Amino acid sequence: MDIKTEVLTILDEVLGLGGRSAAFELEAPLLGAVPELDSMAVVGVINLLEERFDFFVEDDEIDGATFATVGTLVEFVRGKLA
């Protein structure tokens, strides 16, 4: 499974981006740059990450830096799967 592709698919689904996320590179900023990514959307993304990748995220494991870029979010998922 390609983690980046799956993360982008989840972002697309939760944020209703209509396929726009497919063009996002690892350096693409998320929080503050993608207007659809508000606090409720962050919760939705976390929930879907947990469901798709079969892990659990504790509240203290995640902060704004996790959602800084596509790359930071992908690295977070990789860390959870390691």
Side-chain angles (χ1 to χ4, degrees), residues 3-72:
I3 294 173
K4 177 189 171 201
T5 301
E6 190 61 31
V7 166
L8 291 176
T9 300
I10 288 168
L11 287 170
D12 212 74
E13 284 179 34
V14 174
L15 305 180
L17 299 177
R20 281 190 2 234
S21 72
F24 292 178
E25 295 300 326
L26 289 174
E27 305 79 31
L30 293 175
L31 212 53
V34 179
E36 296 87 349
L37 189 60
D38 59 16
S39 57
M40 288 303 296
V42 166
V43 171
V45 169
I46 293 168
N47 289 340
L48 206 46
L49 288 171
E50 289 176 327
E51 186 181 306
R52 294 268 171 88
F53 290 104
D54 197 31
F55 58 62
F56 183 74
V57 178
E58 298 286 348
D59 291 342
D60 63 352
E61 285 182 288
I62 204 155
D63 58 26
T66 308
F67 283 86
T69 66
V70 170
T72 57

